[in-house]
Amino acid sequence: MLGRVRTAVAQLVGGLGPTPGAQPPRDSPPSPTPAPAPAPAPAPVLVPPGPSRGAPEGGVFCRPAFLQLTSEELQRADDHAGRAVQSPRESRRLPWSTGYAEVINAGKSQHNEDQACCQVVLMDRSCSPRGDPASQEAEGGRQDLCFHYWGLFDGHAGSGAAVMASKLLHHHIRDQLRDLVGILQDSSPPPICLQSNSRAPLAERNRAPLAEEDVELPNDALPRFHLEKAVSRESLVIGAIENAFKQMDEQMVRERTTQLVAGGCCALAAVYLLGKFYVANAGDSRAIIIRNGEIIPMSREFTPETERQRLQFLGFLRPELLGNEFTHLEFPRRIQHKELGKKMLYRDQNMSGWAYKRIVEDDLKFPLIYGEGKKARVMATIGVTRGLGDHDLKVYNSNIHIKPFLSCVPEVRVYDLTQYEHCPDDVLVLGTDGLWDVTSDREVAEVVTEVLMGHEPNDPCRYTMVAHELVLRSRGVLKERGWRLANDKLGSGDDISVFVIPLGGPGNYT
């Protein structure tokens, strides 16, 4: 077993060398277009409300369509030695004047395994429980809804899962939200149980028996069985996004062969709907809001260390998933055979602290979670614990599947834009771990402030300039000892992708 683990770790940290014959990087950001007056927002391209199966197929390697790369630019973007930073052309600005930039890794994988998507998605009401003509008339003829969507997908063991998720996840979110259009537009509380007769008056459908006098009780019933929880419309959106991630993961397992869905991916998505941002994270990417110099975390990283107790608890409940090769207990270091019978520090799924236990033969198995920080691994194989895909991932040279320990369910955090008056310098930054591995939240905020101060508030290029500078500084400059930051520390050798989304300014809420 130890030999398997050593081989797996060696394969994990190994990588491809720099591409020979590389061209020098083209690092100059896109030239800003003078904007003496606020420019009208470009017409968004709406994703039609058709079924998900009609969406583009995933699997084949590509770069985000909004970059509009020519074949020559695509070849330059795939150059591991030059590592040219790529940004959208100014003639094709993203919704809300969103800024975006990306760069390939320094030989870590054959292609850039990050993927990105930015869409305006239309939801019709045709399938809504309140979407029939009589119901629409009773509800004031409310219109269809659309939501703004940004997604970053950090692939591993191939780009197939990231490509597929970038093309399809927003369709699953749309499908989950479509049935809620009428409910979300209604000011009354969401109905706990949808009635089969959608033509019933709205007040009657929403009427909840909250007290004993509101309903006729059976003689043997207790009042507590008739109390109802208050469910907010916000929680319905969160549930829809969570279900969309699960549907996406299920589609990957069904189509992983026909769609060439290799590996898996971390997923970070932001949905703007009815005045609120919903940021969903499954993996180790990160999102922060920078508002008037204040940093507001909008996600947390899911790693073997941050999810240790969840993983250990599953290993405790389902020891067969460990394949008689791993133990769910954690020790400060590997136990040697000569230490049998001695007492050593340990902790299990119920502990946050440490205690001593007497070592037995079963404790000599390899730990379910091993290593610290970025080197921590689940079953000595993978360093993230949430994401999409990875259905075929096994411990090296074994038949032990790792997927049962990897969750596809995201954590969703909500930010209400209507509670604050935002200025054009307030932004939401989404980035893959290639950015955050070498750049702190505070350093990102400083770059945002520095770049935005150098451009007029009505300049639509300013957010692309911020994204470009964030990627450029995190990548560093190629020197004799590799890619180096301004302080001569090692720069990021990973793929880096960044969205910079403005939260205020003219035209953003149209």
Side-chain angles (χ1 to χ4, degrees):
M1 177 60 197
L2 184 58
R4 290 185 201 162
V5 172
R6 285 175 176 169
T7 307
V9 173
Q11 288 192 345
L12 185 67
V13 299
L16 302 173
T19 306
Q23 300 177 6
R26 186 180 66 180
D27 290 335
S28 55
S31 301
T33 303
V45 179
L46 294 176
V47 175
S52 296
R53 59 179 177 272
E57 295 181 352
V60 180
F61 176 74
C62 61
R63 296 315 309 145
F66 58 74
L67 285 176
Q68 295 184 299
L69 298 180
T70 65
S71 57
E72 180 182 349
E73 290 171 332
L74 186 60
Q75 185 176 4
R76 187 181 300 114
D78 213 23
D79 176 11
H80 295 269
R83 302 187 74 192
V85 179
Q86 305 295 326
S87 296
R89 289 196 176 96
E90 176 54 27
S91 60
R92 178 79 173 180
R93 295 202 305 272
L94 297 175
W96 284 29
S97 297
T98 296
Y100 176 81
E102 68 173 36
V103 73
I104 197 172
N105 61 78
K108 180 181 176 182
S109 60
Q110 182 179 0
H111 294 293
N112 186 339
E113 293 181 340
D114 283 1
Q115 289 292 329
C117 180
C118 182
Q119 300 280 0
V120 182
V121 185
L122 178 66
M123 299 179 292
D124 64 34
R125 310 180 66 207
S126 58
C127 298
S128 173
R130 300 180 181 178
D132 62 279
S135 178
Q136 290 190 24
E137 181 179 354
E139 297 174 21
R142 294 182 177 87
Q143 302 300 312
D144 296 338
L145 283 179
C146 70
F147 63 86
H148 291 71
Y149 169 86
W150 299 261
L152 288 179
F153 306 91
D154 184 356
H156 48 260
S159 59
V163 171
M164 186 175 187
S166 70
K167 295 180 181 296
L168 297 178
L169 179 59
H170 56 288
H171 290 272
H172 285 289
I173 294 176
R174 176 206 60 205
D175 291 346
Q176 293 294 322
L177 287 173
R178 186 163 50 189
D179 290 346
L180 304 175
V181 169
I183 297 174
L184 295 176
Q185 290 180 307
D186 190 352
S187 59
S188 56
I192 289 180
C193 181
L194 294 176
Q195 303 297 324
S196 57
N197 179 17
S198 60
R199 296 175 181 268
L202 185 60
E204 181 179 335
R205 283 185 277 136
N206 277 334
R207 187 169 180 264
L210 297 177
E212 185 175 353
E213 59 269 17
D214 293 330
V215 64
E216 184 177 349
L217 299 178
N219 292 333
D220 57 346
L222 296 176
R224 66 174 179 272
F225 294 141
H226 296 270
L227 298 179
E228 295 180 345
K229 278 189 176 180
V231 177
S232 66
R233 285 172 290 171
E234 180 180 287
S235 66
L236 292 182
V237 178
I238 294 174
I241 294 173
E242 291 169 336
N243 276 332
F245 271 68
K246 290 190 285 186
Q247 292 294 324
M248 183 73 254
D249 197 59
E250 291 172 4
Q251 183 175 359
M252 283 183 174
V253 72
R254 291 194 307 268
E255 303 178 9
R256 64 186 185 278
T257 302
T258 58
Q259 299 297 327
L260 305 177
V261 186
C265 67
C266 299
L268 176 65
V271 173
Y272 173 76
L273 176 64
L274 295 174
K276 295 181 180 180
F277 261 107
Y278 298 83
V279 179
N281 183 44
D284 59 358
S285 297
R286 197 188 307 170
I288 63 172
I289 282 176
I290 303 167
R291 186 187 69 207
N292 194 27
E294 179 187 4
I295 298 172
I296 304 171
M298 290 300 296
S299 68
R300 63 188 176 107
E301 300 174 21
F302 292 101
T303 67
E305 287 189 308
T306 63
E307 292 215 278
R308 173 187 63 83
Q309 288 180 292
R310 178 182 72 81
L311 300 174
Q312 286 182 314
F313 192 69
L314 180 57
F316 170 74
L317 290 179
R318 300 277 308 279
E320 69 275 10
L321 298 178
L322 301 175
N324 203 34
E325 298 277 9
F326 295 87
T327 173
H328 74 282
L329 300 179
E330 182 184 12
F331 299 92
R333 61 165 172 81
R334 284 302 311 277
I335 301 173
Q336 302 177 34
H337 198 276
K338 63 182 181 181
E339 293 173 324
L340 282 172
K342 296 182 179 180
K343 287 189 175 182
M344 180 175 285
L345 288 170
Y346 87 105
R347 58 182 176 179
D348 63 15
Q349 70 280 357
N350 299 312
M351 301 169 64
S352 58
W354 295 81
Y356 288 95
K357 77 177 293 288
R358 194 172 302 278
I359 300 301
V360 298
E361 189 76 26
D362 205 50
D363 297 331
L364 297 177
K365 296 176 182 178
F366 204 84
L368 171 62
I369 303 168
Y370 188 68
E372 287 186 307
K374 294 296 289 185
K375 295 182 180 180
R377 294 290 183 268
V378 178
M379 295 181 167
T381 304
I382 189 169
V384 293
T385 56
R386 297 204 189 192
L388 303 170
D390 288 316
H391 296 281
D392 295 318
L393 184 61
K394 297 179 181 180
V395 176
Y396 178 75
N397 199 26
S398 79
N399 201 35
I400 303 174
H401 284 269
I402 298 178
K403 180 62 177 180
F405 294 94
L406 309 181
S407 173
C408 65
V409 180
E411 178 185 61
V412 183
R413 297 190 179 184
V414 184
Y415 181 81
D416 191 345
L417 266 69
T418 64
Q419 297 298 309
Y420 305 93
E421 184 174 348
H422 295 88
C423 72
D425 291 353
D426 296 338
V427 297
L428 168 62
V429 178
L430 310 178
T432 56
D433 66 331
L435 170 71
W436 307 107
D437 285 347
V438 299
T439 311
S440 67
D441 292 0
R442 176 51 57 189
E443 289 169 331
V444 167
E446 290 172 355
V447 172
V448 168
T449 302
E450 176 186 332
V451 176
L452 292 182
M453 286 182 62
H455 296 81
E456 293 295 328
N458 57 4
D459 183 353
C461 287
R462 65 201 308 254
Y463 306 106
T464 293
M465 296 293 205
V466 173
H468 191 282
E469 188 66 17
L470 286 172
V471 171
L472 194 63
R473 295 196 189 188
S474 300
R475 181 206 67 180
V477 177
L478 183 59
K479 298 182 179 180
E480 292 183 1
R481 296 177 296 117
W483 294 90
R484 296 284 163 174
L485 305 178
N487 58 10
D488 205 41
K489 291 185 178 180
L490 196 62
S492 177
D494 201 357
D495 303 315
I496 311 172
S497 299
V498 177
F499 274 124
V500 178
I501 307 167
L503 302 182
N508 282 350
Y509 302 110
T510 58

